[in-house]
Amino acid sequence: MTTNPSRPRFSLLDIVKQCDSFPYASDPKLKELSFLDLIVDDIPIGRIHTTLVPHLETFNQQTRPVFHITETTVSFMPWLSDYDSRSDAIAQMLNIWRYDLKNFPPLSGWRDELYGVYTHNTDPATTKDGAALAIERSACVLFGVHAYGVHMNGYVRTGPNPWDVQMWIARRSLTKPTYPGMLDNMVAGGMCFGHSPYYTVIKESMEEATIPPNVAKKAFSVGTISYIKLKDGTQTAPETQIVYDLELSKDITPTPCDTEVQGFQLWTMDQVLEAIRLGEFKPNCACVCLHFMIRHSVITPENEPDYLNIIQRLHRYIEYPGPKKWPTFKEEPL
């Protein structure tokens, strides 16, 4: 990699803050924001900016009222008391909004993929595998609900020490709706409702990197990263990425299988760090790489002055409910 000295460089903590950008309770900037809590079962499950409220009120007028709106909260009307009714109401509204990209730009990345939104209530009469409702993936930021994904580091061992590794790095397709052309982990993907993390890793490995299931099944979970991103001051994205590692032999080369990845490169840790500092990675993918480097003693308390802050910001507590057990009601044949 050739370094251009005139290009801006970021600290590693700066990179993490690009993901974990929603103000903390002690930050005075929090008072400048204007969000309402999205409520189900009397507990918050998301955040809705006040600029979205008029659109909710308009939808209430077009059909049987769906939302109960106060100065601080948005909740569902009592007749929407179960998973199916809430999911159907949200879907009807989003199918109207998706054609108004001026007011709802995130819906330009419509995926036809549903994400589960969880509650503490697990009554099967009102929830589905612990989910209060399901929502189109691209709409999650409009409602500030907790989204989940998986990221897998593919690496090759080059020596006996933990830091003697190289990483397979993907470059995102220029046609991707988000972060086109930027660097990515070897395998990554959102978790559709009804699929487990492990299944998602295996599926995405084949779809993105042509890694067959018998190889991908050797991946092992190594923890999570979590953060809350503030987008344009009006949208929040609380996300948890479930992280896997997969050690590959030198005779296995990831190869693009679909249109989401341009190609793969096997890089040293120095090359990965340099690209992170230059802002070439999709931010949450950079964070997954940092998580890997901390675990492999590439980044240590001795060589990184922001070591503790980086670790803390990679593991933000997200107050919204999550699944007690990942639902797998969809077919998982792999």
Side-chain angles (χ1 to χ4, degrees), residues 111-173:
R111 302 291 190 93
D112 276 323
E113 296 177 5
L114 293 179
Y115 275 13
V117 183
Y118 295 90
T119 175
H120 290 313
N121 176 18
T122 57
D123 184 348
T126 60
T127 64
K128 184 172 183 178
D129 287 287
L133 67 149
I135 188 171
E136 154 63 29
R137 174 177 177 173
S138 64
C140 286
V141 295
L142 295 175
F143 297 89
V145 295
H146 194 168
Y148 299 86
V150 297
H151 284 240
M152 184 169 74
N153 302 295
Y155 70 97
V156 175
R157 190 165 295 283
T158 60
N161 299 306
W163 53 85
D164 292 333
V165 289
Q166 294 179 326
M167 293 183 73
W168 281 106
I169 302 299
R171 186 169 296 277
R172 295 164 68 85
S173 168

Side-chain angles (χ1 to χ4, degrees), residues 194-263:
H195 280 160
S196 66
Y198 187 57
Y199 171 82
T200 304
V201 162
I202 297 169
K203 178 178 73 73
E204 295 290 340
S205 294
M206 188 64 203
E207 291 178 357
E208 294 187 354
T210 324
I211 295 174
N214 66 304
V215 175
K217 285 180 178 179
K218 297 177 183 178
F220 52 95
S221 62
V222 291
T224 65
I225 66 167
S226 56
Y227 47 85
I228 304 177
K229 188 168 186 177
L230 177 65
K231 298 184 176 183
D232 302 324
T234 62
Q235 301 158 19
T236 63
E239 295 183 353
T240 295
Q241 306 299 339
I242 301 169
V243 183
Y244 288 77
D245 282 357
L246 176 63
E247 181 177 351
L248 294 173
S249 61
K250 294 180 179 179
D251 61 345
I252 295 179
T253 300
T255 305
C257 184
D258 58 20
T259 60
E260 297 194 2
V261 179
Q262 286 190 52

Side-chain angles (χ1 to χ4, degrees), residues 40-41 45 66 76-90 117 119 121 123-134:
V40 168
D41 296 331
I45 62 167
V66 168
F76 290 93
M77 288 293 189
W79 67 275
L80 296 163
S81 59
D82 59 20
Y83 169 91
D84 287 330
S85 62
R86 297 181 195 120
S87 300
D88 289 346
I90 290 287
V117 183
T119 175
N121 176 18
D123 184 348
T126 60
T127 64
K128 184 172 183 178
D129 287 287
L133 67 149

Side-chain angles (χ1 to χ4, degrees), residues 267-321:
W267 277 1
T268 66
M269 293 293 94
D270 285 342
Q271 288 175 301
V272 176
L273 269 174
E274 180 67 8
I276 289 174
R277 293 186 186 278
L278 291 173
E280 295 182 354
F281 273 87
K282 180 174 179 277
N284 67 342
C285 300
C287 289
V288 172
C289 289
L290 294 178
H291 182 262
F292 179 90
M293 292 179 184
I294 290 167
R295 292 184 288 106
H296 286 263
S297 298
V298 176
I299 297 172
T300 68
E302 290 72 35
N303 66 21
E304 174 49 59
D306 294 317
Y307 183 81
L308 291 177
N309 280 338
I310 289 170
I311 290 178
Q312 290 167 358
R313 296 292 286 266
L314 287 176
H315 299 92
R316 182 162 184 167
Y317 174 71
I318 298 175
E319 65 270 33
Y320 303 143

